């Protein structure tokens, strides 16, 4: 499941050709998944708190496999967009449960090592996903063509179901919580509108409709927040727990996650487009350029973050933001000089990935360090939601600014890169500022608590 989107990145051109999709349909084949995912994460997390984390995780896997089958048999671009929207919903159920299970089974310090594996797996997915997509398209197993990138989820999902049932203990929140359908609907609509605006903003050039959508989303968030406070006072539970946001580690950790996700997603989009549109590399060649970056990410998470986060705390995030910001700037400037196939670029990509790993690894254990385990699913879902919003923001702001500037002049996909580096760097500055607001002793106080 973690490799699903990276695989699609490489296979998207072949999918577009086979289904005769236009530009807007191609965009929504990728974006619909994230819209379904981001809109339903909060309710997915709370369902785990109420009905059990293993149960909801297994239900999510089964539904994801079914939705993948629907994607694989889609006959038109419109059908594939609809199936992708549905496919995002089961991941909204799956994603929070994994982190919630880790939160219940381990202490705050122990979670650092366990959650580091999430980053390592994500790094492997980022490396192998695009390559696997290219291999599947070229190999064309059983004549499936582009459909193979979705149908491969069937055997993998069945294996995950069997393993999850055998290995995951049946855990659930110790508190008696009730399902909040009104709050879930309010926040789902708010997230859906916000993500739609961020996805469509570059194409609509931030027209009046985008600002109206942002205002509507903000109003729904405000109503949902007010509803949550009243419901907790009345019955003791809601789709979110407002008290979590009074924790410094939770609030500023989430803010850092959002800003960092915007920077990393924006950079990866700009990087991929610059290599293909600016330097003329093939999708598979572009995917191979991601290998040193992914290796750096895994090293930053597993070797540096895992061992030094307990000792240095917030300063590890600050150092990572500085390393990543400097290396990303140098990467984009280097590509702008029409250089995309030398050892210097590969070395810079490794350093950029190393910095990204130093920033990506620490936030999850920091965010949940002081969270009551009864709200493990909800806290994990909020964290995942901020990652989705940050990613969409990075595409809309950094990616959108780059693409519009690049399309406005000859050779723009290269000449616009220095300005794109500035946009990406600004998000990292925000992430750095949020990291500095974190308490100095994070895990010592969490373990004492």
């Amino acid at each position: 499941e973690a490799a699903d989107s990276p695989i699609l990145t490489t296979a998207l051109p072949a999918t577009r050709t086979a289904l005769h999709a236009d530009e807007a349909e191609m965009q929504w084949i990728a974006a619909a998944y994230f819209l379904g995912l981001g809109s339903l994460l909060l309710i997915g997390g709370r369902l785990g708190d109420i009905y059990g984390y293993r149960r909801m995780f297994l239900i999510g896997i089964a539904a994801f496999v079914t939705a993948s089958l629907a994607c694989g048999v889609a006959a038109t671009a419109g059908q594939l967009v609809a199936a992708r929207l549905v496919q995002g919903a089961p991941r909204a159920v799956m994603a929070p449960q994994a982190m919630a299970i880790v939160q219940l089974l381990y202490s705050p310090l122990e979670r650092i090592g366990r959650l580091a594996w999430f980053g390592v797996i994500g790094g492997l997915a980022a490396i192998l996903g695009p390559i696997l997509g290219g291999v599947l398209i070229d190999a064309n197993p059983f004549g499936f063509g582009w459909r193979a990138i979705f149908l491969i989820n069937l055997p993998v999902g069945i294996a995950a179901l069997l393993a999850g049932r055998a290995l995951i203990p049946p855990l659930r929140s110790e508190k008696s919580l009730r399902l909040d359908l009104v709050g879930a609907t309010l926040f789902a609509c708010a997230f859906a509108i916000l993500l739609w605006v961020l996805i469509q903003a570059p194409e609509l050039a931030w027209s009046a409709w985008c600002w109206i959508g942002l205002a509507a989303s903000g109003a729904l968030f405000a109503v949902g927040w007010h509803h949550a406070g009243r419901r907790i006072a009345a019955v003791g539970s809601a789709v979110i727990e407002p008290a979590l946001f009074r924790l410094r580690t939770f609030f500023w950790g989430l803010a850092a996650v959002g800003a960092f996700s915007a920077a990393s997603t924006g950079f990866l989009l700009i990087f991929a487009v610059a290599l293909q549109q600016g330097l003329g590399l093939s999708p598979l060649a572009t995917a191979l350029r991601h290998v040193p970056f992914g290796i750096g990410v895994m090293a930053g998470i597993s070797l540096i973050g895992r061992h030094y986060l307990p000792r240095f705390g917030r300063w590890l995030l600050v150092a990572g933001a500085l390393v990543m910001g400097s290396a990303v700037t140098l990467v984009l400037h280097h590509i702008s000089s029409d250089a995309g196939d030398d050892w210097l670029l590969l070395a810079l990509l490794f350093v950029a990935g190393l910095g990204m790993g130093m920033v990506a690894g620490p936030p999850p254990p920091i965010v949940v360090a002081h969270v009551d385990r009864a709200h493990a699913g909800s806290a994990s879902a909020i964290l995942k939601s901020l990652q989705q919003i940050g990613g969409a923001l990075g595409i809309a702001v950094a990616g959108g600014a780059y693409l519009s500037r690049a399309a406005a002049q000859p050779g723009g996909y290269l000449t616009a890169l220095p300005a794109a580096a500035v946009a990406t760097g600004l998000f990292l500055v925000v992430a750095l500022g949020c990291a500095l607001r974190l308490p100095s002793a994070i895990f010592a106080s969490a373990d004492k608590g």
Side-chain angles (χ1 to χ4, degrees):
E1 177 268 329
D4 184 76
S5 292
I7 289 175
L8 179 63
T9 301
T10 305
L12 195 55
T15 307
R16 176 190 182 184
T17 300
L19 295 178
H20 308 288
D22 58 26
E23 292 286 347
E25 289 172 328
M26 183 177 71
Q27 178 185 5
W28 276 104
I29 288 171
Y33 177 79
F34 295 103
L35 184 61
L37 166 63
S39 302
L40 299 175
L41 273 168
L42 285 184
I43 184 64
R46 198 46 121 183
L47 286 172
D49 291 330
I50 297 172
Y51 297 111
Y53 305 112
R54 183 181 73 172
R55 177 185 297 175
M56 297 314 302
F57 183 72
L58 296 178
I59 289 174
I61 292 177
F64 184 82
V65 169
T66 304
S68 297
L69 177 61
C71 291
V73 301
T76 67
Q79 290 179 10
L80 182 56
V81 170
R84 287 282 289 169
L85 181 66
V86 174
Q87 192 186 30
R91 189 185 170 191
V93 175
M94 280 190 288
Q97 316 312 332
M99 185 176 293
I101 291 168
V102 171
Q103 189 177 348
L104 265 68
L105 292 178
Y106 303 101
S107 71
L109 274 175
E110 290 173 329
R111 291 175 203 152
I112 296 174
R114 302 306 186 275
L115 291 176
W117 284 105
F118 284 66
V120 172
I121 293 170
L124 281 172
I127 294 172
L128 299 178
I131 298 174
L132 180 58
V135 169
L136 285 173
I137 295 297
D138 288 343
N140 191 21
F142 305 106
F144 287 149
W146 63 270
R147 301 177 190 278
I149 67 172
F150 297 109
L151 297 178
I152 195 175
N153 288 331
L154 274 64
V156 174
I158 292 171
L161 268 174
L162 296 174
R165 185 172 179 80
L167 301 176
I168 299 175
L171 300 169
R172 63 187 301 167
S173 174
E174 297 177 355
K175 290 188 177 181
S176 178
L177 301 171
R178 295 166 58 183
L179 190 60
D180 177 14
L181 290 176
V182 173
T185 302
L186 287 169
F187 281 108
C189 292
F191 275 116
I193 294 172
L194 176 59
L195 289 169
W196 181 88
V197 169
L198 294 176
I199 290 167
Q200 287 291 97
E203 183 176 342
L204 298 177
W206 288 96
S207 67
W209 285 110
C210 295
W211 298 106
I212 292 171
L214 289 178
S217 176
L220 286 171
F221 275 121
V223 174
W225 186 269
H226 179 68
H227 167 80
R230 292 185 59 183
R231 182 176 170 86
I232 286 174
V235 301
S237 68
V239 71
I240 65 167
E241 182 67 36
L244 294 177
F245 292 85
R246 293 195 286 271
L247 300 171
R248 282 181 64 190
T249 47
F250 189 80
F251 181 84
W252 290 110
L254 284 178
V257 165
F260 163 71
S261 296
S264 58
T265 306
F267 164 70
L268 289 173
L269 172 65
I270 293 165
F271 177 64
V273 172
L275 290 182
Q276 294 185 62
Q277 300 294 327
L279 299 182
L281 298 183
S282 68
L284 186 56
T286 299
L288 292 174
R289 300 301 186 283
H290 286 73
V291 172
F293 183 82
I295 293 173
V297 171
M298 290 188 290
I301 293 174
S302 61
L303 299 181
I304 299 178
R306 180 180 178 183
H307 295 291
Y308 294 104
L309 178 59
R311 180 178 176 183
F312 295 107
R314 63 186 180 187
W315 295 109
L316 183 65
L317 277 75
V318 172
L322 292 172
V323 170
M324 180 180 173
S326 302
V328 161
T329 300
L330 292 173
V331 165
L332 296 181
H333 276 274
H334 191 63
I335 295 174
S336 69
S337 64
D338 203 12
D341 196 19
D342 57 17
W343 287 104
L344 177 58
L345 176 64
L346 300 180
L348 289 173
L349 285 169
F350 173 79
V351 175
L354 198 69
M356 179 177 172
M358 293 166 64
V359 184
I366 288 175
V367 167
V368 300
H370 299 91
V371 169
D372 186 332
R373 296 186 181 191
H375 302 294
S378 180
S380 300
I382 295 171
L383 171 62
K384 296 290 184 181
S385 298
L386 261 292
Q387 290 174 332
Q388 297 303 313
I389 292 173
L393 185 63
I395 292 173
V397 176
Y402 167 69
L403 292 174
S404 60
R405 188 182 182 96
Q409 52 187 312
Y413 288 104
L414 295 181
T415 58
L417 285 173
V422 173
T424 303
L426 289 175
F427 282 121
L428 286 171
V429 170
V430 174
L432 188 152
C434 295
L436 290 173
R437 297 289 296 171
L438 290 167
S440 55
I442 297 173
F443 296 98
S445 57
D447 277 334
K448 288 178 182 178

